[in-house]
């Protein structure tokens, strides 16, 4: 009974998996920045960025379908951008009731934002599914993120699994005792009020147990000399191919960005 | 059909490809008390989790009181099978002892008066009557274990299923538990490494190893076969 399904990491030996985590982290951040800074309406640039992330996905051997499913995470951002359709002034394309209208500029902004979030989420999903979480933590540290922040992110990740495991066990115990009486006439399930009471009780127990467990874990960590730093064997040096990938992709992103600002900015 | 539990040719493979049950066939008659012994990883817990459909059956058959353990029967089966998990912390999920013991009966839709009566009865059976309003979180392991048993007794199950009930108990708590299990007039199947308890409490023993049943017979016969026990990682 383990919450493995939460871990986005997918085992693999593709070139993307093997690329150094530090390089991947830098490139993903650079990629997301580039797509955020590319002006609305720069369609060729968006297309190039999309093909860049798609090629990396292909290289990762996980299959495009996998990424398309996970990229649905971008949906909330798209919905949040929906009002742009009717709030931006400009050439009216379609008049709606209530005095609203869809403008060309609004449509352009909306599609650009949707595209940006869609490809950025894909890049993040690519990073998370080809890099183990400890590797990402080390990479954050190596890139100079404060030790406390990395420690907090690391512990959050660890406790997330502990808590979800606990929840799964509680739900299993509840299922095991959710039986139906042999006498028809007794409707199984209880009242909604009672069920919400049970759920509330479970949440309370979960909170208490997590609190105590986190204490125990923390003490065990202290007992083994934990001081806020995650230690590991020294990170291997970067291979020439890591440098090469870093250099080429950064250059590519930079030129795309400059080009987009000159032509559409 | 006088068997409470009938298992035919049951096999189960975990999602990671590990084959945990391999063609298990086993019958429990009414009132029988059976021990399920075997080394760690033999598949005992996996088998027990099948009895009320917590793990879905892959191939083979399981019936409880004549009901196929699947689909629309699961509700009925869960009331008939009282499954007590190894760790009481996995069993108890409500703030107070009363809430936990009352969960099964309330879920079944029994009238309030009967729920109270069943909780009372179940707690008496495990000698914990005065604990009804306690917060289960702060009880000792032995006490939690008894409450865990009460949470399924209140459902009046046809078969009691216990996973390593004496694991982690001190001698006195273990003794109390054995005595109260002895007094329960109900079919039970108990997974355990505690061979002295098995000898004392359970007349029939089933030995499992690597997902298979390797021996099944009177406890006295099986426990007096040192070769068999040694072969399957058990010792007196
Ligand atoms: N959730 C799981 N996923 C994969 N393998 C498991 C899981 N649970 C148990 N197993 C494996 O199945 C085998 C049987 O386990 P289990 O039924 O717990 O044995 P026992 O209770 O006899 O010690 C073991 O080899 C164990 O590693
Ligand atoms: Mg077990």
């Amino acid at each position: 009974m383990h919450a493995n399904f939460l871990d986005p990491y997918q085992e693999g030996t593709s070139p993307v998996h093997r690329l150094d985590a530090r390089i991947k982290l830098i490139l993903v951040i650079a990629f997301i920045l580039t797509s955020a800074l590319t002006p609305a309406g720069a369609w060729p640039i968006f297309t190039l960025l999309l093909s860049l992330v798609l090629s990396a996905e292909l290289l990762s051997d996980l299959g495009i379908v996998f990424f398309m499913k996970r990229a649905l995470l971008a949906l909330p951002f798209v919905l949040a951008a929906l009002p742009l359709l009717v709030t931006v002034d400009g050439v009216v394309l379609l008049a709606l009731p209530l005095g609203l209208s869809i403008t060309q500029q609004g449509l352009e902004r909306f599609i650009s934002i949707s595209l940006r979030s869609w490809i950025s989420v894909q890049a993040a999903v690519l990073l998370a599914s080809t890099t183990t979480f400890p590797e990402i933590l080390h990479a954050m540290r190596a890139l100079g993120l404060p030790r406390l922040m990395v420690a907090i992110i690391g512990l959050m990740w660890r406790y997330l699994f502990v808590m979800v495991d606990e929840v799964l066990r509680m739900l299993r115990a509840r299922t095991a005792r959710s039986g139906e009486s042999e006498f028809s006439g007794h409707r199984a399930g209880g009242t909604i009020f009672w069920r919400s009471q049970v759920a509330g009780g479970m949440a309370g127990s979960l909170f208490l147990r997590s609190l105590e467990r986190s204490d125990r874990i923390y003490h065990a960590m202290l007992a083994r000399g934990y001081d806020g730093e995650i230690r590991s064997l020294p990170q291997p040096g970067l291979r020439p191919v890591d440098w090469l990938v870093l250099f080429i992709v950064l250059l590519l992103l930079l030129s795309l960005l400059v080009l987009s600002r000159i032509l559409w900015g | 059909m006088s068997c409470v539990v009938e298992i035919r040719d049951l096999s189960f493979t975990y999602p990671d490809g590990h084959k945990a049950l391999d063609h298990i066939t086993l019958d429990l008659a009414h009132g029988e008390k059976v021990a399920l012994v075997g080394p760690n990883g033999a598949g005992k817990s996996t088998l027990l989790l099948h009895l009320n459909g917590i793990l879905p059956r892959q191939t083979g058959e399981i019936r409880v009181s004549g009901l196929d353990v699947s689909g629309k029967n699961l509700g009925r089966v869960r009331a008939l099978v009282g499954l007590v998990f190894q760790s009481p912390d996995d069993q108890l999920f409500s703030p107070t002892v009363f809430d936990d013991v009352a969960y099964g009966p309330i879920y079944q839709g029994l009238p309030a008066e009967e729920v109270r009566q069943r909780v009372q009865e179940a707690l008496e059976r495990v000698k914990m009557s005065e604990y009804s309003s306690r917060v289960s979180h702060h009880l000792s392991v032995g006490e939690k274990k008894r409450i865990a048993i009460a949470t399924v007794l209140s459902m009046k199950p046809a078969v009691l299923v216990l996973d390593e009930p004496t694991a982690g108990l001190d001698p006195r708590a273990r003794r109390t538990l054995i005595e109260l299990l002895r007094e329960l007039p109900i079919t039970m199947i108990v997974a355990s490494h505690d061979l002295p308890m098995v000898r004392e409490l359970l007349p029939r023993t089933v030995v499992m190893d690597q997902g298979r049943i390797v021996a099944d017979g009177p406890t006295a016969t099986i426990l007096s076969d040192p070769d068999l026990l040694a072969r399957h990682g058990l010792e007196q």
Side-chain angles (χ1 to χ4, degrees):
Chain A
M1 173 135 313
H2 288 294
N4 294 332
F5 60 87
L6 272 182
D7 190 349
Y9 178 68
Q10 306 284 315
E11 209 72 51
T13 53
S14 74
V16 186
H17 284 84
R18 275 175 305 162
L19 186 64
D20 190 278
R22 289 163 284 185
I23 306 287
K24 275 190 269 190
L25 188 59
I26 298 177
L27 290 182
V28 165
I29 293 171
F31 182 88
I32 293 175
L33 276 178
T34 308
S35 89
L37 295 176
T38 300
W43 309 124
I45 304 295
F46 282 122
T47 315
L48 286 172
L49 287 173
L50 177 63
S51 53
L52 192 64
V53 72
L54 283 177
S55 333
E57 286 169 8
L58 279 178
L59 260 182
S60 78
D61 282 343
L62 295 176
I64 293 292
V65 181
F66 169 86
F67 289 100
M68 292 304 118
K69 275 195 210 142
R70 306 234 162 167
L72 291 180
L73 277 175
L75 220 54
F77 301 101
V78 174
L79 292 181
L82 217 50
L84 281 177
L85 277 178
V86 291
T87 51
V88 177
D89 294 332
V91 188
V92 175
L93 291 181
L94 182 67
L96 298 175
L98 300 173
L100 296 173
S101 55
I102 294 183
T103 62
Q104 188 191 335
Q105 283 78 354
L107 189 63
E108 211 173 82
R109 291 266 295 274
F110 170 71
I111 297 182
S112 300
I113 288 195
S114 306
L115 267 176
R116 275 188 200 126
S117 29
W118 188 50
I119 57 180
S120 303
V121 165
Q122 284 189 58
V125 169
L126 182 66
L127 174 70
S129 50
T130 60
T131 323
T132 64
F133 201 75
E135 274 176 350
I136 297 181
L137 290 180
H138 288 311
M140 288 176 177
R141 238 352 240 139
L143 298 184
L145 217 67
R147 149 200 301 220
L148 182 64
M149 218 158 128
V150 176
I152 289 175
I153 298 175
L155 289 177
M156 258 170 61
W157 181 251
R158 186 167 182 339
Y159 285 134
L160 180 69
F161 282 87
V162 172
M163 273 178 80
V164 172
D165 276 351
E166 192 85 53
V167 172
L168 286 178
R169 281 198 300 268
M170 281 188 180
L171 292 178
R172 186 177 71 174
R174 193 181 63 171
T175 311
R177 280 188 271 146
S178 299
E180 289 162 22
S181 161
E182 61 190 311
F183 307 108
S184 50
H186 291 320
R187 204 177 53 83
T191 61
I192 292 192
F193 177 69
W194 173 71
R195 288 168 84 133
S196 51
Q197 250 184 336
V198 171
M202 288 169 85
S205 314
L206 177 68
F207 179 72
L208 274 179
R209 287 189 203 180
S210 308
L211 207 65
E212 283 185 2
R213 188 176 300 226
S214 68
D215 260 5
R216 288 197 302 271
I217 295 180
Y218 181 60
H219 288 148
M221 285 162 74
L222 285 182
R224 284 186 284 158
Y226 179 77
D227 60 0
E229 179 70 289
I230 324 157
R231 288 199 175 65
S232 66
L233 297 174
Q235 302 226 7
L238 294 173
R239 301 166 300 167
V241 56
D242 292 324
W243 285 111
L244 195 68
V245 173
L246 177 68
F247 185 68
I248 294 179
V249 180
L250 276 187
L251 200 66
L252 194 67
L253 289 175
L254 198 64
S255 28
L256 285 181
L257 185 58
V258 172
L259 206 64
S260 71
R261 308 279 335 174
I262 293 175
L263 296 179
W264 287 273
Chain B
M1 106 99 242
S2 68
C3 285
V4 191
V5 177
E6 299 162 84
I7 303 173
R8 292 276 167 284
D9 247 353
L10 181 72
S11 296
F12 181 81
T13 306
Y14 276 107
D16 65 0
H18 183 89
K19 185 154 196 174
L21 295 181
D22 192 2
H23 296 283
I24 298 285
T25 294
L26 183 67
D27 283 340
L28 298 194
H30 273 286
E32 241 187 332
K33 299 191 174 186
V34 181
L36 190 58
V37 303
N40 280 330
K44 304 182 294 292
S45 302
T46 307
L47 178 60
L48 299 187
L49 287 174
H50 274 83
L51 292 178
N52 63 358
I54 293 284
L55 287 178
R57 183 191 58 186
Q58 288 172 347
T59 60
E61 265 182 65
I62 322 176
R63 295 177 167 279
V64 173
S65 289
L67 294 169
D68 182 40
V69 179
S70 69
K72 64 175 187 354
N73 287 338
L74 282 180
R76 278 297 295 126
V77 167
R78 284 178 181 153
L80 289 169
V81 176
L83 175 61
V84 181
F85 294 96
Q86 175 170 352
S87 157
D89 286 326
D90 293 355
Q91 183 93 19
L92 306 176
F93 53 78
S94 306
T96 70
V97 169
F98 180 90
D99 292 334
D100 243 321
V101 181
Y103 178 85
I106 298 183
Y107 189 90
Q108 289 179 26
L110 302 181
E113 197 37 54
E114 184 166 358
V115 171
R116 258 191 294 278
Q117 198 184 322
R118 286 208 183 184
V119 172
Q120 194 54 40
E121 237 172 69
L123 287 175
E124 267 163 29
R125 286 243 184 239
V126 297
K127 316 225 163 17
M128 298 286 283
S129 305
E130 64 285 16
Y131 282 70
S132 173
S133 57
R134 291 278 294 269
V135 177
S136 33
H137 191 67
H138 296 300
L139 302 180
S140 75
V141 190
E143 291 165 337
K144 279 189 196 169
K145 193 86 213 181
R146 277 142 70 191
I147 299 298
I149 294 174
T151 63
V152 305
L153 288 181
S154 63
M155 302 194 296
K156 299 218 161 124
V159 53
L160 187 61
V161 178
L162 302 163
D163 197 351
E164 316 226 359
T166 54
L169 297 187
D170 68 19
R172 186 181 317 144
R174 172 177 173 276
R175 181 47 46 201
T176 317
L177 188 76
I178 292 179
E179 292 313 324
L180 68 89
L181 288 181
R182 190 204 306 283
E183 287 164 20
L184 289 178
I186 167 176
T187 313
M188 60 175 79
I189 176 161
V190 183
S192 186
H193 297 289
D194 185 348
L195 296 188
M197 174 199 70
V198 168
R199 186 191 298 282
E200 206 177 315
L201 197 63
L202 307 157
R204 175 178 163 202
T205 295
V206 173
V207 185
M208 275 184 83
D209 200 355
Q210 302 194 341
R212 275 190 298 266
I213 291 184
V214 292
D216 181 353
T219 300
T221 316
I222 289 192
L223 292 193
S224 56
D225 185 345
D227 284 347
L228 174 75
L229 295 181
R231 254 200 320 280
H232 301 294
L234 298 161
E235 51 188 54
Q236 297 278 0

